[in-house]
Amino acid sequence: MKRIGVFTSGGDAPGMNAAIRAVVRAGTAQGLEVVGIRRGYQGMIDGDFIELGPRDVANTLQRGGTVLLTARSKEFMTPEGRAKAAQNLRDAGISGVVCIGGDGSYRGALKLVEEHHIPIVGAPGTIDNDLYGTDYTIGFDTAVNTALDAIDRIRDTAASHERVFFIEVMGRHAGFIALEVGIAGGAEVIVLPEDPTSAHMCAQVIEASAGKGKKSSIVVVAEGGYEGGAEALARDVKLCSGIEGRVTVLGHIQRGGSPTAIDRVLASRLGAACVDALLAGASGVAIGEVNDEIRLTPFKEAVEKRKDINRRKYELAKTLAL
């Protein structure tokens, strides 16, 4: 293996640039040429390739987003599109690829491995932390801290006006962000996709908190934790109890910003481990960190096995909300 490619795909996540930097510099240190594939799978189809050396990734460690850009590709979803992408990789002399992305990115990589036998390994780049085979994904810690900063500010307003605030965070299918910021932000209620909560139950907790002397409450809602999100939950709580709340949807602010030290170190470690894995002959696997050790998990397991929230943390959150 003399020449490898690296690309980012799907939603951007803070730390992706640190992972790209690690792939480039670790690859260069081991005598490899590294090619950046711009705009994910669409760039693979378009042949949008650029040579990357150590200086090309200087001063990217601290930047959010992805310098290689990312895009959705309907064409890649077709066998013809994937065949074109594979041929472009071969024509460019690329004999191994590092994919930095989430669930959808891994599924696309698995297709290339199965259909065209392109050696590909993945690094988990998603703020949702929902990929099996790693304790944490690149971008999760930054997203949590970004959301927590917002919740801390909203709590000041909630306390000043003695109000209930419903705060929606990202997490359509997984409640990792909501659980983490809910505990760190002292939320009275945390609404997760993994444990559906009714408006009536939510209202009961808010009323019980008020009965204990609390003048304000924070309800953290994962976007997939209640049908219609925080807006719908606030509406239904008012309908069943008369409790009026304010709603804040944090949205894409959670994706951006400079990555935390934790995300920079994780991305650096996993990016370098991807290069080692390719050189060792690995393919069709996701590189993760479990109990501070590098672990390789087949793409199929990474996307099909469900990674559950930490149930002990969830119970702790309920205890501390008294």
Side-chain angles (χ1 to χ4, degrees):
M1 189 169 289
K2 301 289 178 84
R3 190 171 168 87
I4 65 172
V6 58
F7 72 99
T8 53
S9 176
D12 62 305
M16 279 184 163
N17 287 326
I20 295 167
R21 172 181 177 269
V23 170
V24 172
R25 294 192 171 180
T28 302
Q30 301 202 57
L32 298 173
E33 295 176 356
V34 183
V35 176
I37 303 165
R38 288 158 49 87
R39 298 183 177 87
Y41 289 114
Q42 189 57 49
M44 205 177 286
I45 291 171
D46 296 337
D48 192 358
F49 303 156
I50 56 172
E51 302 285 336
L52 292 176
R55 300 288 69 77
D56 296 309
V57 291
N59 295 318
T60 61
L61 184 69
Q62 75 279 13
R63 291 174 58 183
T66 165
V67 295
L68 287 178
L69 308 178
T70 182
R72 307 290 180 183
S73 177
K74 290 184 178 179
E75 189 176 358
F76 187 80
M77 296 178 184
T78 67
E80 296 78 13
R82 294 192 291 272
K84 186 176 180 181
Q87 190 58 52
N88 284 339
L89 292 173
R90 293 191 182 98
D91 290 346
I94 295 171
S95 51
V97 180
V98 175
C99 163
I100 304 168
D103 177 272
S105 304
Y106 280 6
R107 290 181 188 274
L110 181 58
K111 286 286 188 182
L112 279 180
V113 172
E114 291 177 339
E115 296 174 1
H116 300 282
H117 309 292
I118 303 290
I120 305 179
V121 299
T126 169
I127 66 171
D128 291 329
N129 197 39
D130 59 346
L131 289 174
Y132 181 82
T134 187
D135 289 339
Y136 297 104
T137 59
I138 297 165
F140 172 68
D141 186 70
T142 305
V144 166
N145 279 282
T146 299
L148 180 60
D149 181 66
I151 289 172
D152 285 347
R153 294 168 188 269
I154 290 169
R155 183 173 282 284
D156 290 343
T157 295
S160 297
H161 292 269
E162 299 182 324
R163 283 179 177 158
V164 176
F165 268 82
F166 295 80
I167 304 169
E168 183 177 301
V169 300
M170 283 186 164
R172 189 173 295 113
H173 303 294
F176 292 96
I177 294 176
L179 177 56
E180 208 79 3
V181 299
I183 295 173
E188 278 66 39
V189 183
I190 304 173
V191 182
L192 309 175
E194 294 87 347
D195 188 23
T197 301
S198 69
H200 180 69
M201 289 172 59
C202 184
Q204 282 186 321
V205 174
I206 295 170
E207 288 171 339
S209 295
K212 296 170 186 173
K214 288 191 176 185
K215 303 298 183 183
S216 63
S217 289
I218 295 292
V219 179
V220 173
V221 185
E223 60 184 315
Y226 192 85
E227 187 173 354
E231 289 277 1
L233 179 59
R235 179 200 64 213
D236 292 347
V237 165
K238 184 178 180 180
L239 286 174
C240 74
S241 67
I243 297 171
E244 186 173 353
R246 298 291 188 271
V247 178
T248 300
V249 178
L250 298 185
H252 285 80
I253 188 175
Q254 296 157 89
R255 285 195 187 278
S258 182
T260 61
I262 287 175
D263 271 330
R264 296 184 200 191
V265 173
L266 177 66
S268 298
R269 189 179 187 198
L270 296 183
C274 283
V275 174
D276 291 339
L278 280 176
L279 289 174
S283 180
V285 296
I287 312 300
E289 185 182 83
V290 178
N291 295 327
D292 203 37
E293 298 291 334
I294 295 297
R295 176 176 293 181
L296 277 61
T297 302
F299 280 142
K300 194 172 179 63
E301 284 188 33
V303 298
E304 291 183 355
K305 285 192 174 181
R306 183 171 179 80
K307 180 179 175 182
D308 196 15
I309 57 167
N310 187 315
R311 296 288 170 173
R312 287 174 296 178
K313 283 187 178 181
Y314 190 36
E315 292 306 314
L316 174 65
K318 295 176 182 178
T319 298
L320 299 182
L322 293 176

